Structure formats: structure tokens, C-alpha cells
Amino acid sequence: MRSAWSDDAASELLAELTERYPARCNRDVALRVYTSRLIGREPGLVLHGGGNTSVKTTLLDDLGEPCEVLCVKGSGWDLGAIDVPGLPAVRLRSLQALRRLDALDDAAMVNAARTRLLDASAPNPSVEALLHAFLPHRFIDHSHADAILSLVDQPGAKELAGEVFGGRLAVVPYVMPGFALAKLAAEVAEAHPECEGLLLLQHGLFTFGASARESYERHIAAVTAAERHIAGRRRAVDLGRAAATAADEAVSEARWSAWAPHIRGVLGLPDAGEGAASGGRRYVLHRRTSPAIRAFVDQPAARLLDLCARGPATPDHVIRTKQRPLVLDFAADLGGASLRRAFTAAIAAYRRSYAGYFRRQTEGRALARVALDPDPRVLLIPGVGLIGVGVDDRAARVAADLYEHTIAVITDAEAVGRYQALPEADIFDMEYWPLEQAKLGRKVERALGGRVVLISGAASGIGRACARRFAAAGAALFLVDRDAAPLAEVAAELGAAHAVVDVGDREAVARAVGACVRRYGGLDGLVANAGYAPQAAIAACPREVLEESLRVNLLGQQWLAAAATAVMRAQGRGGFLLFNASKAAFNPGRDFGPYAVAKAGVIALMKQYALEHGEEGIRSNAINADRVRTGLFPEDVVAARAQARGLAPDAYFRANLLRREVTADDVAEAFLYLACAPSTTAAVLTVDGGNIAASPR
């Protein structure tokens, strides 16, 4: 690992931050932000909010008096994107005075830090703020570097540390983060006054320095020394296996496509498959594969199970990965009902094991705890790869990221010696530690949390409005449209997966739905919105105009619905189909025959799906909207239609019973309502401001 320090970049950020935060930022704080970002942007050091940094400096208090403070990473901030507000300033001397106490519980520790803040609105200081305060050094960096963990997760870690680092790093035995660890770390540092940092067994690395650069570069030097030691002992890569993994990726991907909906359908169900299809939790899945991942998951089953059962690389990971993954060693040809039964049995066994772990730690130690959900957050599937499981796409990716790095740590630890995680009791204490659970944030249930929704015609108009509204409701989105640039723009805005698709192309639709399954593990809802509005008198309509309207406006909806329904049936958890029809289905307009005929067919299509798949919990409904300002009707068409009615264009949009213009957001809100209406199917909901002639009847 190399230092990323740049004098020019440091100076540039120093000037920017001291100008932007004149009362809260000096040279020390600005350079602390700079090197914190360098650490946070290196995944080999920290991931997803891990690690913390600090600086001891002087700022002005509310009386304008100089005050010695500790600026330490605040709870909820990610080092890679940290800014000055993410380093709350705590009055240093009174914080250091806490070291005189014999004990300090977690609540008192958090309160002690908050009551010493210069700014009461600042975020909570890191749970390791006392550790930073009790050490005398000016700048301190802490990470969970992969290479360091490979050395400290060893039975003989202390001796190994001496071999690799000499006396540059002092060793601290494992103690759970908090007041006790802060005192112990300070004592160890004082006993080794020449050390440049601390190795916390089973935890990570601290380095210190008189300047931001010195502390940062000592950190990089320590990680580099660990990497070199490991490289000298790492077994040669099995090139044959790596080549085979690359060659069979298509087979692996096809297997995942076939298995994912069945696996996702069972995950979260009450009693591992018993209960209503619509009940239970919903999860998003994220597949990760690489030669290193495949080499790990494809090793002999007994070996894989042994390594996985030893526990996480650092206890900090347990809140996002659980204490161990679920290994699914299924026959390659397993499918359908057989696969579902096999996975149901596997998840039931995992839940029983988790319940036993919970009982051992609570009953055996007389602890009062409320059990967390017992479902795995990581699946390891030989022949397929690593699967992250989360309540949303981000959580699934975080779990996958953390376990991909865990694989690297375990692999390198085994090359050096023997991988050894913490005892079960220590893992449990971290998993159920309120201060650790707080890192996950307050859990706010969102209407479509854990659901995967595909939206067609998502690049503009009603489709884009739906994408934004469904994303706000917690859905993981797969967006399709035939206009590549605006589609990529909205997908980037919402963090959604996307594909350029002509919905009238059945094979292209099938590929898009397959890509959605591979990306998220399945599909729960469809908003079939894509369409266009051709004009022609019906008797004189050119054949190609009518056929193209039917291909896109009707058959495109059918291809989407059929492919989506197949996935929903495999999951066995129900779902919803939502069709953007039109008031023209009930109240056609002159010279709009090609459009009206296709949209009338969409209403019939919607009802057919409701009839044939209602017993499987798949709801099918439609929205009839009218006079919405979208690209469907160009300005000249709107002007002509308004003129024919003796109206100005703006008045044309308000020509309804409510005298109110209907917006794309209104339609999106109606689609969301139907997506969340568990007892509604075969319904047509009008969103037109009131049009009696177009009322369904």
C-alpha cells in the first residue's frame, strides 16, 4: 500500500475548508479531514463507516476564548466523505480527567462526551473518543486494515507482531470498545513510549503522530509491512482454478438466475416457509464473484464450513454480516420445488443455530436481551459466489463488501498461520451492544422496503415520477427505457440499476428481467408504463402504424407482465402488476384509434392477469390518467387539441371536473397507492381530475 499524500491537494483543501468554516476549522482540522479522507477511500483500510480519526487542537469557545479540544470522528460519518462537521470538537481536559474513574458505563460515557461538546448540535463523538483522548498524541488514525487483521486474528498474534513490526507497534489484548479499552490502550502506550502505534488484537490498528501526515504515513507503513509479510508466505495462486472460474462464469450466472427467486422467496418468511405468502420480511440480494471468492467458496465443503464457523474478521462487522454466513452446497442440477425445499431446510437450520447461540449467551450468562432477527446476511454458494442479504440494496452491498474482505483476511491469515476469530461470547456482546446497533440508524419502515420494482418508460414523464416516488418508498429499482441518456441520468440520481430496452422486443424484455433477477435476486412489482401515442383515423390507419402501436403499447406490456409474473411465481411471495392504461380505453378520441385500441387491450390484459394469478397473491391493476404534461403528446398536438375545444393550452390541462391540472407526480402517487393496496386487484383507478365520459363502467 502506498501513501496517497499530496502537498498540492492538502494545501488546496486547507484553503477551501478554512474559508468555508472560519470559526470551526484551523490548519490541524483541515489536514485531519484530508488524511481521514485518504484513509476512508482505501477499502483495504476501512469500509462503510469503519475506523476513526482525531486531532487535538485549539478552537475558540462561545466566549471567544481559546479552548483545547479533541476533534474526533462523529457517529454516522464515513471517513471517505468526512467534512469539518463530521469531526465534533470535545473539551479535551475534562474528557481526559475521566481516566481517573475506575469505571464508566456506556450511557455515562456517551453522555460525558456529549456534555463536553463545544457545539451541542454536533453529532455524537465516536464510541472510541475516550481512547483518542487518553492517548497523548496529537493526531491518531484507526482502521481495520485487511492485512493487519490477517496478523492479529491469529493464536500467536503477539509474537507475530514482534516479528513483523519489531517495537514500532505495541500490542493491546482484546477488550470490547469503551472505557475499559481506552484505559488499557493508554497504559500500553505509556509502557512503550517509543511506539508509533498500537495493534489491537482481533480489532485493528492505531497509529499516532505529531502531524496529520506523520500519523497517516505511519499507518500506511504498518499496513505495507503486514502486506509484505503475508506476500512472502502466501501460497501460489491456483491458476488452473482461476482460469476455470473465468470460463464458467456464464454457467455460474445462469445458475444464480435460476436459483435466486426461490432463495429470495424463502428468505424472511415466518418459520422458514410457513405462513402467508405476503407476510414476513423482504430482502434484497447482491451477488459478488471473483477468482478469489470462487476459490474460497469452491473449496472442499468441510474446510469451507470450518473457516466460516470461526467468526468475523473483526467484531465490528457482526451487526452487518451476523456471526457467520450460511453455506448452501446444493447440487448443480437442483431446481424448482426441490431447490425451494432444500433452501427452506437450510434456512430453518440456520435459524435454529442462531436461536441456540442467543440462548447460550443470554441464559448461560443471565443477560436480558431481545433477539434480533435470525436470518443470515451472507450466503456462500459453491459454483455461484458470495451473496449479500439486506433490507435494501445498500445493506446487501455492505454485507457483500464486508464478507469479500473477510475472505481476503481469512485466506491471508491461513497463509500466515491459522485464522482465529474471537470467542462466541465476545461476538455476541458486540452484536447486541446498543452503541454498535446505533450505527445502523433508526429503523424506519418504508412502504416498499425490501421490494424490487421494475419500471418501464422510466426516463421521463410519468415513469420518471414513479421511479422517484417508489425509490422514496424504499424500493430497489430496475429502470428500463429506450432513451439511453435520460435513463442513465435518472438511474444515477436514484442509485438504480437500468437497461436500454424496447419493450416491444420480447427477447430484450426477457433479458432485462433476467438482469433484474441477477442484480437484486428477484422481482416484486412491475410498473408497465412505457408507451407512445400514434395518431390516425382508424379506418384509414396504415398497417405499420397500427401494428407498431399494438407491438409497443399492448404486446410490450404483455412481455413485461409475463416475464415478471414468472419470477413472482418462483418466489411464491405474491407481487403486483401495474399498467399505465389511458382514459382512451373508455373514452377514445377522434383520430387516436391506434392508441385507444391498444390501451383498451391493456385494460383487458390487466384483468386477465388478475383473474389467472390472484390466487398466487399477484395483484393486477391499472391507472387511467389524462392530460398529463409529458413527452407523450408534443406541444403542437396539445395546441391542436386545445384549439379544437376552444381552449388555451394551459386551460386544456385543467378541463376536468376539479378544474385542476393532473401532474406526473399525481399519477405516480396513485401507482404507489395500488402497489401498497393488499386487497385490491382487477381495478382501474382514474387520475384525470374527473372525466365522466372516461369513468370505468
Side-chain angles (χ1 to χ4, degrees):
M1 187 173 289
R2 291 187 175 183
S3 169
W5 176 279
S6 162
D7 287 335
D8 290 342
S11 297
E12 183 179 335
L13 187 63
L14 171 62
E16 175 196 333
L17 295 181
T18 50
E19 180 180 358
R20 189 147 48 99
Y21 301 102
R24 303 171 66 181
C25 183
N26 56 20
R27 179 182 178 83
D28 290 340
V29 174
L31 294 180
R32 176 70 291 171
V33 169
Y34 175 65
T35 53
S36 296
R37 290 179 182 178
L38 296 184
I39 291 171
R41 292 170 184 174
E42 173 50 65
L45 295 177
V46 296
L47 291 167
H48 303 294
N52 43 66
T53 58
S54 71
V55 60
K56 297 177 179 73
T57 188
T58 301
L59 296 175
L60 298 181
D61 65 15
D62 53 358
L63 297 175
E65 299 291 336
C67 180
E68 290 183 87
V69 294
L70 172 76
C71 293
V72 62
K73 190 187 91 165
S75 178
W77 280 83
D78 190 305
L79 286 179
I82 202 164
D83 204 345
V84 171
L87 291 166
V90 191
R91 298 174 191 274
L92 180 60
R93 293 303 177 192
S94 61
L95 195 65
Q96 290 174 327
L98 295 171
R99 189 177 171 189
R100 298 197 298 264
L101 300 177
D102 294 329
L104 192 66
D105 65 32
D106 293 337
M109 181 178 69
V110 172
N111 183 66
R114 279 214 64 81
T115 58
R116 288 163 172 78
L117 286 168
L118 280 193
D119 180 358
S121 67
N124 281 340
S126 164
V127 296
E128 289 171 333
L130 292 184
L131 195 160
H132 287 261
F134 293 173
L135 293 172
H137 311 84
R138 192 174 182 192
F139 287 85
I140 301 174
D141 296 320
H142 170 45
S143 80
H144 305 126
D146 291 353
I148 295 294
L149 290 174
S150 293
L151 300 187
V152 299
D153 289 354
Q154 298 278 343
K158 186 172 183 179
E159 294 74 20
L160 186 58
E163 178 185 346
V164 176
F165 303 108
R168 288 186 295 130
L169 300 177
V171 176
V172 181
Y174 179 79
V175 174
M176 189 167 168
F179 184 70
L181 175 61
K183 292 189 72 170
L184 177 61
E187 291 165 5
V188 171
E190 288 168 354
H192 300 82
E194 302 303 318
C195 72
E196 299 175 357
L198 302 173
L199 278 177
L200 276 61
L201 300 187
Q202 313 287 161
H203 187 151
L205 170 68
F206 278 80
T207 55
F208 354 104
S211 69
R213 182 171 187 174
E214 181 177 54
S215 182
Y216 165 71
E217 293 194 333
R218 283 177 171 179
H219 212 85
I220 298 302
V223 175
T224 301
E227 289 174 337
R228 287 174 177 162
H229 182 83
I230 293 165
R233 287 153 180 78
R234 187 184 289 128
R235 299 176 182 86
V237 176
D238 184 345
L239 297 178
R241 173 172 288 180
T245 298
D248 74 0
E249 173 55 21
V251 175
S252 175
E253 191 172 84
R255 188 178 302 168
W256 172 238
S257 296
W259 286 3
H262 297 280
I263 290 173
R264 184 168 177 266
V266 172
L267 268 171
L269 271 181
D271 300 321
E274 301 298 326
S278 60
R281 293 174 293 275
R282 301 280 181 141
Y283 294 111
V284 176
L285 309 184
H286 175 78
R287 175 176 176 254
R288 190 74 56 82
T289 190
S290 69
I293 290 173
R294 287 293 302 276
F296 186 81
V297 302
D298 291 352
Q299 63 187 309
R303 172 73 171 162
L304 176 60
L305 289 168
D306 171 53
L307 291 175
C308 293
R310 296 184 196 173
T314 174
D316 300 68
H317 291 179
V318 71
I319 59 171
R320 294 180 175 89
T321 66
K322 295 291 189 182
Q323 83 280 27
R324 64 177 179 85
L326 171 57
V327 177
L328 300 174
D329 193 8
F330 294 155
D333 59 353
L334 194 65
S338 297
L339 174 66
R340 193 175 182 89
R341 284 193 298 270
F343 185 67
T344 298
I347 192 68
Y350 186 94
R351 288 176 171 179
R352 287 193 300 271
S353 175
Y354 187 88
Y357 154 79
F358 182 80
R359 283 195 305 273
R360 284 192 300 276
Q361 295 307 318
T362 53
E363 296 175 8
R365 299 161 62 194
L367 299 175
R369 301 287 186 273
V370 176
L372 300 170
D373 80 79
D375 291 334
R377 294 299 187 268
V378 176
L379 310 178
L380 300 182
I381 310 179
V384 172
L386 156 66
I387 313 300
V389 178
V391 295
D392 54 30
D393 183 47
R394 182 182 182 279
R397 284 177 167 272
V398 168
D401 283 345
L402 293 176
Y403 210 82
E404 182 174 6
H405 282 262
T406 298
I407 286 173
V409 170
I410 293 174
T411 301
D412 286 346
E414 288 289 298
V416 170
R418 184 181 189 277
Y419 174 69
Q420 176 177 285
L422 282 168
E424 181 182 278
D426 292 303
I427 299 299
F428 180 88
D429 288 343
M430 185 64 78
E431 182 177 3
Y432 282 83
W433 189 27
L435 298 187
E436 194 70 3
Q437 283 291 327
K439 292 180 180 179
L440 298 178
R442 184 173 297 173
K443 296 177 182 176
V444 177
E445 293 291 334
R446 294 195 285 176
L448 295 178
R451 267 70 168 181
V452 178
V453 180
L454 189 152
I455 301 175
S456 68
S460 60
I462 291 171
R464 179 176 284 219
C466 284
R468 287 172 173 156
R469 190 66 189 87
F470 277 58
L477 298 179
F478 195 95
L479 308 178
V480 301
D481 202 289
R482 62 185 180 184
D483 294 329
L487 176 64
E489 179 183 290
V490 70
E493 173 193 334
L494 300 176
H498 66 288
V500 177
V501 176
D502 173 0
V503 297
D505 182 338
R506 186 175 188 176
E507 292 183 357
V509 166
R511 288 193 297 271
V513 172
C516 178
V517 170
R518 290 190 296 275
R519 175 66 180 75
Y520 297 120
L523 180 61
D524 302 296
L526 166 69
V527 180
N529 166 73
Y532 80 114
Q535 300 179 62
I538 194 65
C541 181
R543 174 177 175 176
E544 62 273 15
V545 173
L546 181 59
E547 287 183 346
E548 181 65 5
S549 180
L550 293 172
R551 186 186 77 88
V552 174
N553 291 321
L554 177 57
L555 290 177
Q557 315 283 53
Q558 159 62 5
W559 307 145
L560 284 165
T565 298
V567 178
M568 294 175 194
R569 295 181 72 196
Q571 291 174 161
R573 300 289 295 274
F576 60 84
L577 306 173
L578 301 176
F579 298 90
N580 193 350
S582 168
K583 74 94 182 178
F586 295 99
N587 179 215
R590 185 176 295 276
D591 295 335
F592 266 84
Y595 180 73
V597 168
K599 289 299 185 178
V602 169
I603 296 295
L605 184 71
M606 175 274 290
K607 292 183 177 181
Q608 200 68 35
Y609 272 97
L611 176 67
E612 296 183 6
H613 297 286
E615 64 186 16
E616 296 163 320
I618 298 173
R619 296 175 290 110
S620 180
N621 295 291
I623 293 288
N624 276 4
D626 188 30
R627 302 189 187 185
V628 181
R629 290 184 198 256
T630 71
L632 191 66
F633 297 106
E635 289 185 12
D636 58 337
V637 173
V638 171
R641 297 188 72 174
Q643 185 178 17
R645 292 163 175 78
L647 298 170
D650 283 349
Y652 169 78
F653 286 107
R654 297 192 299 273
N656 54 52
L657 297 179
L658 297 176
R659 298 295 185 261
R660 179 184 185 280
E661 181 174 341
V662 176
T663 68
D665 288 336
D666 293 329
V667 182
E669 192 66 33
F671 271 122
L672 179 62
Y673 166 77
L674 288 175
C676 301
S679 301
T680 301
T681 194
V684 178
L685 181 62
T686 59
V687 187
D688 57 12
N691 182 341
I692 291 297
S695 299
R697 58 185 182 271

